[in-house]
Amino acid sequence: MTEPPTAATRLAHAVREKHSIVCLGLDPRRESLPPAIAGTIDSDRPDVVAAAYTLFCKEILDVAAEKVACVKPQSAFFEALGPAGVVALGEVIAYAKNLGVEVIVDAKRNDIGSTATAYAQAYLGSASPFGGDWLTVSPYLGRDSIEPFVDACDRQSAGIFVLVKTSNPSGGMIQDRITDSTPVYRCVADALCQWNADRLNGLGYGPIGAVVGATYPDQLAELRSALPNAWILIPGFGAQGGGVDDVRPGVARDGLGAVVNSSRHLIFAHDRQPYREKYSAGQWQHAVADATDEMNSQLSTLLPPAP
Amino acid sequence: MTEPPTAATRLAHAVREKHSIVCLGLDPRRESLPPAIAGTIDSDRPDVVAAAYTLFCKEILDVAAEKVACVKPQSAFFEALGPAGVVALGEVIAYAKNLGVEVIVDAKRNDIGSTATAYAQAYLGSASPFGGDWLTVSPYLGRDSIEPFVDACDRQSAGIFVLVKTSNPSGGMIQDRITDSTPVYRCVADALCQWNADRLNGLGYGPIGAVVGATYPDQLAELRSALPNAWILIPGFGAQGGGVDDVRPGVARDGLGAVVNSSRHLIFAHDRQPYREKYSAGQWQHAVADATDEMNSQLSTLLPPAP
């Protein structure tokens, strides 16, 4: 029996096949939906709004799945609708998996022991009820809060992205505190490095990734070099202010090792120029497709030439 | 118009009225359910298992709601069943609220900006879809990841418990790192203290609580004194090894300021002595009631005499 490919292998294949390091963030917000989707909401009932979120995300996936390395639904926006929203999250993930896209569930889960195992059971692997490929995880509880997720990655051919150095202004409050010349974020990175060491695929990557914001390019360079075997999920591109030069230090020379997330800037592209003028309300999906193409084109200098 | 009571006020009233500082943890696990509940599961379908979780939690609430200061459903065990489990979580919270019990949703959510706001919208306040009174929150992302929850506490008369010093062995990996004589957990505690300062109720408590494990009694004493205005949620009692002397430093002299969580030890009491022998399979709820009485009795030395 052949072992199924690991999450790190699947992500590398996706980057190469699609010639893209874009991670498309699926962050539905009612107030920002294109009018064509918002118009389907004829009640404030959570299941009605949730159905609109599902439709919105499916239509985005239809036009963009082939263009991106992976997609990242943000659980918070689905949870904000209550249980009906969580049902929609499950539907969106299933739809993406049907299209063959790698799915990172952005839920920043964290707990200890059997509780962490329960979160892993919920989200990681095609046999799990939510069926994600990767899950974001928050490390404040320390090593024994991550290990149950690492075990699940082994069992489910899944991966996690652990928050290391985040993109927000006050992330440094904890992450940058230095003890014996080592900031907290390096301490988290060192643990990641050890977990990956026994789990490398043929390309040299393990299933334990890191979240490192584009807004801190110096730390991104430092962490790229400290974590040669980890995929890095880079938020903070576009709407949060990071540009191509800011993410460059995160990408390995062969074009692997990093995916760059953009959410609002892509999924709500209908509402910004030049797309607002270019497309009618019924053509909002074209704006998503164009914005994704534009982001791929911006980032293409970080990749080897397309075959 | 009278302002509704704050979460900190409601919790104080609950402690005084019920003469209890017990937080009853609702952590349903299929493999540990009493046979009378497990017997209702005639299929592996998630909605069938979820219905058993709902029934289990409702029956526990029926016998224990009047005996405890608050209840704490653990979201992970519900999420592990997928969307159907999350529907059950909503039902359990609604049932508890109908019985008038203060509900802490243990979900350790964390994110930044509008994403954190979305989590707060999901869980905090009677108008929210899940309808919790309190939510546990993880602080690795720093100050600007907590502020959206603090704002929601103001708007929704809700509260949060921020992870400060957790009960698990490797929590110290990040939490105990010392910079300029200040460990990370104190740095988190200091931020909490400032948020509470402008938000104190008549008893001197604010809506921003702290999670501090019973397994570190010295830090619990230190944090009680550093956080005189914060409710402390103390896990680690019972199954995790903490005893009455370990939680004593967390409780203020007037018996307020702390709630002590126990989950497995109470909800699965049917499966341990003396209850296993004392009650038949159909009487598992009596074991929960007795175990809760026993925990109240153990902790009663920390409270002023009942009126």
Side-chain angles (χ1 to χ4, degrees), chain A residues 18-253:
Chain A
K18 295 170 174 180
H19 200 65
S20 172
I21 58 170
V22 171
C23 171
L24 171 69
L26 295 169
D27 295 20
R29 299 161 198 242
R30 184 170 176 181
E31 67 280 12
S32 305
L33 293 174
I37 299 290
T40 67
I41 303 176
D42 57 4
S43 150
D44 285 334
R45 272 183 23 219
D47 59 321
V48 173
V49 181
Y53 281 14
T54 304
L55 178 64
F56 176 57
C57 293
K58 284 182 175 178
E59 298 214 7
I60 290 169
L61 287 163
D62 284 341
V63 296
E66 275 307 303
K67 300 176 183 290
V68 298
C70 53
V71 300
K72 180 176 77 61
Q74 170 50 259
S75 187
F77 295 110
F78 294 91
E79 290 177 57
L81 299 179
V86 177
V87 172
L89 173 64
E91 290 168 356
V92 169
I93 296 170
Y95 194 82
K97 290 313 303 169
N98 255 331
L99 293 173
V101 198
E102 203 67 6
V103 176
I104 302 170
V105 182
D106 193 357
K108 299 185 176 60
R109 295 300 192 253
N110 63 126
D111 215 301
I112 57 175
S114 59
T115 313
T117 300
Y119 278 132
Q121 284 170 344
Y123 295 101
L124 288 177
S126 54
S128 72
F130 287 99
D133 298 294
W134 302 76
L135 177 69
T136 56
V137 169
S138 196
Y140 188 75
L141 291 145
R143 189 180 293 272
D144 57 13
S145 73
I146 311 287
E147 279 161 357
F149 291 101
V150 176
D151 292 343
C153 290
D154 291 343
R155 285 194 307 273
Q156 305 296 334
S157 305
I160 55 174
F161 285 100
V162 181
L163 300 189
V164 174
K165 172 70 188 154
T166 60
S167 59
N168 58 313
S170 73
M173 171 182 152
I174 290 175
Q175 299 160 29
D176 292 351
R177 287 172 66 88
I178 296 174
T179 308
D180 298 337
S181 332
T182 309
V184 165
Y185 68 79
R186 273 306 289 271
C187 170
V188 177
D190 292 347
L192 259 68
C193 213
Q194 291 166 27
W195 284 311
N196 275 333
D198 300 332
R199 298 175 168 83
L200 303 183
N201 65 9
L203 297 160
Y205 289 96
I208 316 302
V211 176
V212 184
T215 44
Y216 297 101
D218 291 346
Q219 280 82 3
L220 182 56
E222 175 196 348
L223 288 162
R224 173 72 291 161
S225 124
L227 292 168
N229 306 122
W231 278 92
I232 299 182
L233 168 61
I234 309 179
F237 187 84
Q240 279 183 67
V244 176
D245 288 334
D246 299 311
V247 306
R248 189 184 307 273
V251 183
R253 236 171 300 178

Side-chain angles (χ1 to χ4, degrees), chain B residues 38-53:
Chain B
T40 67
I41 303 176
D42 58 5
S43 150
D44 285 334
R45 273 184 19 221
D47 59 320
V48 173
V49 182
Y53 282 13

Side-chain angles (χ1 to χ4, degrees), chain B:
Chain B
M1 218 176 81
T2 326
E3 291 280 319
T6 67
T9 301
R10 294 195 306 270
L11 195 50
H13 287 169
V15 164
R16 287 186 170 162
E17 272 171 32
K18 296 169 172 178
H19 200 66
S20 171
I21 58 170
V22 170
C23 172
L24 172 68
L26 296 169
D27 294 20
R29 300 159 198 243
R30 183 170 176 181
E31 68 279 12
S32 305
L33 292 173
I37 298 289
T40 67
I41 303 176
D42 58 5
S43 150
D44 285 334
R45 273 184 19 221
D47 59 320
V48 173
V49 182
Y53 282 13
T54 304
L55 178 64
F56 176 58
C57 293
K58 284 182 175 177
E59 298 214 5
I60 289 170
L61 287 163
D62 284 341
V63 296
E66 275 307 301
K67 298 176 184 291
V68 298
C70 53
V71 299
K72 180 176 76 63
Q74 171 51 257
S75 189
F77 295 111
F78 295 91
E79 290 177 57
L81 299 180
V86 177
V87 172
L89 172 65
E91 290 168 356
V92 169
I93 296 170
Y95 194 81
K97 290 313 304 170
N98 254 331
L99 294 173
V101 198
E102 203 66 6
V103 175
I104 302 170
V105 181
D106 194 357
K108 298 186 178 60
R109 296 300 192 254
N110 63 126
D111 215 300
I112 56 175
S114 59
T115 313
T117 300
Y119 278 131
Q121 284 170 345
Y123 295 100
L124 288 178
S126 54
S128 71
F130 287 99
D133 299 294
W134 302 75
L135 177 69
T136 56
V137 169
S138 196
Y140 188 74
L141 290 145
R143 188 180 294 271
D144 57 12
S145 74
I146 311 287
E147 280 161 357
F149 292 101
V150 175
D151 292 343
C153 290
D154 291 343
R155 284 194 308 271
Q156 306 296 334
S157 306
I160 56 174
F161 284 100
V162 181
L163 300 188
V164 173
K165 173 68 187 154
T166 60
S167 59
N168 58 314
S170 72
M173 171 181 151
I174 291 176
Q175 298 160 30
D176 291 353
R177 286 172 66 88
I178 296 174
T179 308
D180 299 336
S181 336
T182 309
V184 164
Y185 69 77
R186 273 305 290 270
C187 170
V188 177
D190 292 346
L192 259 68
C193 212
Q194 290 166 26
W195 283 311
N196 276 333
D198 301 331
R199 298 175 167 83
L200 302 182
N201 65 9
L203 297 160
Y205 289 96
I208 315 301
V211 176
V212 185
T215 44
Y216 297 102
D218 292 346
Q219 280 82 3
L220 182 56
E222 175 197 348
L223 287 163
R224 172 74 288 162
S225 125
L227 291 169
N229 307 122
W231 279 93
I232 299 181
L233 168 62
I234 308 180
F237 187 85
Q240 279 184 66
V244 176
D245 287 335
D246 299 310
V247 306
R248 190 184 305 274
V251 183
R253 237 171 300 178
D254 57 2
L256 296 180
V259 286
V260 180
N261 185 74
S262 183
S263 306
R264 282 168 279 177
H265 220 56
L266 302 182
I267 65 175
F268 302 130
H270 70 278
D271 204 28
R272 64 179 171 94
Q273 296 300 9
Y275 311 113
R276 186 159 42 183
E277 223 147 81
K278 190 169 170 194
Y279 295 114
S280 70
Q283 297 176 307
W284 65 272
Q285 304 92 330
H286 296 290
V288 176
D290 283 9
T292 307
D293 287 339
E294 186 200 10
M295 184 169 163
N296 273 326
S297 156
Q298 289 172 337
L299 294 172
S300 64
T301 60
L302 310 182
L303 298 179

